[in-house]
Amino acid sequence: MKIVDLQLTVVGVPRHTGFINKHVIVELFSDEGLVGIGEMSDFSHLPRYAPDVHDLTNVLKSILVGKNSFDVSLINKELLGNFPEAMYYYEKGSFIRNGIDAALHDLNAKYLDTSVADLIGGQVREKIKVCYPIFRHRFMSEVEENLETVRRRLQQGFDVFRLYVGKNLDADEAFLDGVHREFGSKVTIKSLDFSHLMDWKDSLRAVKRLSKYNFELIESPALANDFEGLKEFRVRVDEPISEHVWSFRQQYEMIKQNAVDIFNISPVFIGGLTAARKAAAAAEIAGKSCLLGTTQELSIGTAAMAHLGSTLVNLDYTSDPTGPELYVGDVVKNKIQYNNGYLEIPDRGVKGLGVELDPELIEKYRVEDLSWGEVTVHQLQDRTANMTKTKS
């Protein structure tokens, strides 16, 4: 099956916070009349540069048009040569590779009249336990807002939450205390996520301060690529340590240093389903667990992650993909579903990823480019609306 054309469409979909995230929707056209779809998810990350979509389209066409869509390894090798790993968490090349790789999987599975999950190994589970994110406190006034988020989401079935920490420890502690007092055992804090904002010593002091509250694991408690610091932190705490995988060299160093217990694997950060499966296999060989991370994808990207997660035998911890719940809209006819705190895997009888683009929604959310203009660093870091608050 030959690839005959490619189309990239930029959409800007608002979150419930008011922040508008930009994504690139990928369509791969084949000589069989089938179309594979993918998602270059959430370009709203630091650094603030973004690719020119017209130029990116021409580059990708030069790589893809005329290729056999089943030559996935060959195509990924060429993509990696043009958009190489940079040992950086928010490296945009991995976002690009991820969108193309998902579209290839969707296209090939449709041609074979099967689901992506069955294409890549078959399901070992029908649903994935997920947590809802509580975004980083900058001001004490945000504590009650976040407690209200817990109340509202608990009523919808989400009983596990991931807390971003490190900007305002007084507020972090007040929030954890509020959760403990109001909800008790009804609510679980999956993790304290430091997002590489602190060095390991500062993170250790923060964990000691917050350790009187229950949480299951700790994420990203050292500066990015500080493998020795990550190991030093790990040997000093009782909770398991999780870290994202954003390059195979980085994963190799973490395995070599025995610096983590859990690999946080997300196709968007490692460069696609093909790469994510390799990272999960490396984790399994090293005797490490996995969880599915997220950049808060729309339904296309989340569906790809659901298919991936359904096949992983070492997915031992609560995962993160709740993106479609964070947005006011989506770009598909059949939005991915959650039930009682679980991400539902698309039915095994579906073809491809099991989601279909809605042309009307594409037009509703279409934007011209990925430029960020006057958006501030704090907005891009924490995906917050542009509002002024008074510290209290």
Side-chain angles (χ1 to χ4, degrees), residues 344-359:
E344 297 287 345
I345 311 300
D347 185 86
R348 198 161 189 170
V350 306
K351 297 179 182 180
L353 292 173
V355 289
E356 181 182 356
L357 291 179
D358 186 322

Side-chain angles (χ1 to χ4, degrees), residues 57-282:
T57 300
N58 289 334
V59 170
L60 290 173
K61 283 184 177 181
S62 73
I63 295 170
L64 295 166
V65 171
K67 291 285 200 309
N68 186 323
S69 66
F70 283 94
D71 290 340
V72 176
S73 295
L74 178 64
I75 292 171
N76 270 282
K77 181 179 179 181
E78 192 164 351
L79 289 171
L80 188 61
N82 284 272
F83 306 99
E85 291 183 346
M87 288 284 284
Y88 180 60
Y89 186 20
Y90 297 140
E91 182 263 312
K92 305 299 175 69
S94 64
F95 296 14
I96 294 166
R97 300 196 309 273
N98 172 56
I100 298 300
D101 192 55
L104 287 170
H105 279 81
D106 183 54
L107 179 60
N108 292 338
K110 285 174 177 174
Y111 180 80
L112 296 174
D113 196 25
T114 192
S115 71
V116 167
D118 283 344
L119 180 70
I120 63 176
Q123 293 184 2
V124 297
R125 61 182 58 82
E126 296 181 348
K127 58 184 179 179
I128 299 170
K129 185 66 176 178
V130 292
C131 62
Y132 195 86
I134 300 297
F135 293 105
R136 192 168 283 107
H137 296 98
R138 289 177 294 149
F139 309 105
M140 190 64 74
S141 60
E142 293 171 323
V143 171
E144 180 53 37
E145 296 173 15
N146 282 333
L147 287 172
E148 179 57 31
T149 297
V150 174
R151 294 182 193 110
R152 185 173 67 255
R153 293 297 176 173
L154 182 60
Q155 290 180 343
Q156 297 172 351
F158 293 98
D159 58 354
V160 182
F161 295 84
R162 171 169 56 112
L163 176 62
Y164 289 91
V165 296
K167 278 291 182 70
N168 187 327
L169 288 176
D170 290 338
D172 294 338
E173 185 171 8
F175 172 80
L176 289 169
D177 187 69
V179 169
H180 172 72
R181 291 176 182 274
E182 182 172 347
F183 305 104
S185 61
K186 295 179 182 178
V187 163
T188 298
I189 300 298
K190 186 203 80 169
S191 61
L192 305 183
D193 189 342
F194 286 89
S195 303
H196 318 107
L197 293 180
M198 296 180 171
D199 66 31
W200 71 268
K201 292 181 181 178
D202 287 337
S203 294
L204 184 62
R205 283 188 282 269
V207 167
K208 288 181 177 178
R209 175 176 175 178
L210 302 176
S211 62
K212 57 186 172 182
Y213 304 104
N214 293 325
F215 50 88
E216 294 181 342
L217 57 100
I218 302 166
E219 298 192 85
S220 305
L223 299 177
N225 297 322
D226 180 10
F227 309 114
E228 292 183 359
L230 196 58
K231 179 181 179 179
E232 291 290 339
F233 182 93
R234 180 176 180 246
V235 300
R236 286 169 168 80
V237 298
D238 294 327
E239 295 83 6
I241 305 304
S242 170
E243 183 56 279
H244 300 76
V245 180
W246 54 77
S247 83
F248 291 113
R249 177 65 189 183
Q250 175 234 11
Q251 187 180 28
Y252 167 80
E253 291 293 343
M254 289 190 287
I255 292 172
K256 180 181 176 181
Q257 294 281 354
N258 198 22
V260 301
D261 304 283
I262 308 157
F263 285 113
N264 182 316
I265 295 175
S266 178
V268 70
F269 293 130
I270 191 62
L273 291 171
T274 300
R277 291 176 64 205
K278 291 179 182 178

Side-chain angles (χ1 to χ4, degrees), residues 124-125 127-130 262-265 280 283-284 288-293 305-321 343 345:
V124 297
R125 61 182 58 82
K127 58 184 179 179
I128 299 170
K129 185 66 176 178
V130 292
I262 308 157
F263 285 113
N264 182 316
I265 295 175
E284 184 181 0
K288 304 295 184 181
S289 296
C290 291
L291 62 84
L292 288 179
M305 297 175 69
H307 284 277
L308 170 67
S310 75
T311 70
L312 299 182
V313 296
N314 55 337
L315 189 69
D316 301 322
Y317 288 84
T318 300
S319 291
D320 299 337
L343 169 60
I345 311 300

